[in-house]
Each structure stands twice: as structure tokens, then as C-alpha cells.
Amino acid sequence: MDDSSWRSVNVPHDFMVEGNFSASNDISQGFLPFGSAWYRKDFSLPPSAKGQAIYLEFDGVMISSQVWLNGRFLGNHSSGYTPFRFRINGSDLNWGGKNLLAVRADASKSADAWQIAWYYDGGGIYRHVWLTVAPPVHIAPWGVYAPAVVTAATINHAAS
């Protein structure tokens, strides 16, 4: 891919709607072509973030994603409907310089995956992306869980 094919987009973004409608494309995706796209973003962090807990959080990438930071593979996520995050190590960052985040969003048609679909999924980073900096001692994201427990005392109290 040459540099002329790169362009600036705002996230949230759905790259599939930029395709050409064709009767030869799958009806389940509104006659738009399946495919994949790359997203790149460079950023820098202030020196005050050094030593802090840093998370890269994605609210939604359709449908299968792979994430790199400064050329290092952070991981992948295979559901376009659920959020996911990566904890970033301080050694993964260029302190005092630019950092490059690269995300591949793959909405390619896979075998039998879409045969019964009747809805438009789209493709791309279709929800917000957050870079969160927290103190070293903090409650982990999604880290509080309070299960509901029903006991005889709870039932007796509610009845009175």
C-alpha cells in the first residue's frame, strides 16, 4: 500500500460504508463489499505519565482486530460487539517521542459466518478508543464485582 492510499478519518469510523454497492455483494451487508482496513495513530505522553498504569481501551472494533504499539504486537480480539483493553508497559512506549498505534480491523467474509445474517455489521473502529492513565495503585478497570446473594434473612426482612 503506498502512502497515497492513507487518509485521515475520525473515529468512530465504518470503512465498509465507503465501498461500492453492488448486486454481486452479499445481501446481509447491504450489498457492500467485505474487507479489512488499517488504522494508524501517533501520540505522545507527558513525562508525568511515566510510572503510571496505562491502558489502551477499545469500545468496539468490528469484527476481528489486531493491535500493535510501536511495532510490538499487543494482541487481538475476535468479537466486534464487546469492548477490550490492553495494559501498556512503560517499556513499550517512546517517552519524550512519538508512539505509533496500528490497528487492523478485519471484516472479511469467512466461511459460513454470515450466511444467516440479516443485519448490517459494518467494519472498522466503530466506537471510541481511550488511552487511560491511572495511578500505580488503583482499582483495575471492570475490577469491582459485588454479587447479589439472597438469604433467608433478606427474604424475611422484605416480607415484613
Side-chain angles (χ1 to χ4, degrees):
M1 183 178 290
D2 62 37
D3 286 336
S4 65
S5 64
W6 290 99
R7 66 184 193 288
S8 179
V9 298
N10 292 320
V11 170
H13 178 255
D14 179 351
F15 70 86
M16 286 182 55
V17 299
E18 297 172 355
N20 294 319
F21 291 94
S22 170
S24 64
N25 291 329
D26 197 307
I27 189 173
S28 69
Q29 294 300 303
F31 297 106
L32 286 166
F34 288 91
S36 62
W38 283 92
Y39 294 85
R40 294 187 307 180
K41 174 70 177 171
D42 61 2
F43 65 94
S44 56
L45 288 168
S48 60
K50 200 166 192 173
Q52 304 293 313
I54 301 172
Y55 297 93
L56 183 59
E57 302 180 75
F58 293 85
D59 286 348
V61 180
M62 190 55 76
I63 184 166
S64 178
S65 60
Q66 298 171 324
V67 180
W68 286 264
L69 179 61
N70 295 327
R72 182 179 160 263
F73 182 65
L74 296 180
N76 56 23
H77 189 74
S78 60
S79 174
Y81 298 103
T82 57
F84 59 99
R85 87 173 58 74
F86 300 102
R87 175 120 186 220
I88 307 301
N89 296 320
S91 60
D92 295 333
L93 296 163
N94 293 322
W95 295 99
K98 295 284 183 193
N99 294 281
L100 179 64
L101 173 65
V103 178
R104 181 174 187 260
D106 187 358
S108 299
K109 186 173 184 176
S110 59
D112 300 327
W114 305 99
Q115 286 188 0
I116 60 169
W118 53 268
Y119 46 83
Y120 176 76
D121 283 321
I125 301 176
Y126 73 100
R127 291 190 182 156
H128 292 98
V129 178
W130 309 97
L131 184 66
T132 303
V133 178
V137 177
H138 63 282
I139 296 173
W142 304 338
V144 176
Y145 175 70
V149 178
V150 178
T151 64
T154 305
I155 295 169
N156 292 339
H157 179 70
S160 54

